[in-house]
């Protein structure tokens, strides 16, 4: 804090931001784990690919796009914006 010469509130805000990012990351990873454990591979692939156009070249094993989709879902839940275009398929999700 004194090394960076930041006001105390800036340091606290940065710390809160990092904590929120960590919570979103852990929750998104947990959400995807539940999705993988409660669905067959074919169901998960079909659900995942339904969000992307056929010409986008996205495969269901693309970890980056899986992470982005899970993080988007968790941020939608946390911010209470509403689901709109993405929703859980079963009670485990």
């Amino acid at each position: 804090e004194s090394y960076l010469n930041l006001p105390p509130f800036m340091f606290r805000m940065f710390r809160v931001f990092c904590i929120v990012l960590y919570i979103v990351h852990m929750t998104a990873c947990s959400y995807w784990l539940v999705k993988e454990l409660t669905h067959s591979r074919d169901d998960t692939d079909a659900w995942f690919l339904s969000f992307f156009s056929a010409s986008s070249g996205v495969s269901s094993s693309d970890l980056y796009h899986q992470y982005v989709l899970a993080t988007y879902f968790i941020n939608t839940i946390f911010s209470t914006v509403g689901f709109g275009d993405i929703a859980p398929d079963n009670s485990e999700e």
Side-chain angles (χ1 to χ4, degrees):
E1 191 173 329
S2 62
Y3 176 73
L4 298 175
N5 293 326
L6 290 175
F9 79 93
M10 292 280 287
F11 185 73
R12 285 192 305 266
M13 290 298 290
F14 180 72
R15 196 170 82 197
V16 168
F17 179 74
C18 289
I19 290 169
V20 168
L21 279 179
Y22 176 75
I23 291 170
V24 167
H25 168 75
M26 294 304 292
T27 308
C29 291
S30 299
Y31 164 74
W32 198 263
L33 177 64
V34 168
K35 181 128 185 89
E36 289 288 325
L37 294 176
T38 59
H39 284 76
S40 70
R41 191 68 184 143
D42 293 335
D43 289 341
T44 300
D45 290 349
W47 175 84
F48 178 77
L49 293 174
S50 70
F51 292 101
F52 300 97
S53 67
S55 63
S56 67
V58 173
S59 73
S60 60
S61 62
D62 186 2
L63 289 177
Y64 173 75
H65 286 95
Q66 289 176 358
Y67 182 75
V68 168
L69 190 60
T71 304
Y72 171 74
F73 181 76
I74 295 303
N75 280 324
T76 302
I77 291 172
F78 282 175
S79 65
T80 66
V81 171
F83 292 105
D85 63 336
I86 186 171
D89 287 337
N90 59 29
S91 61
E92 287 86 11
E93 295 173 352

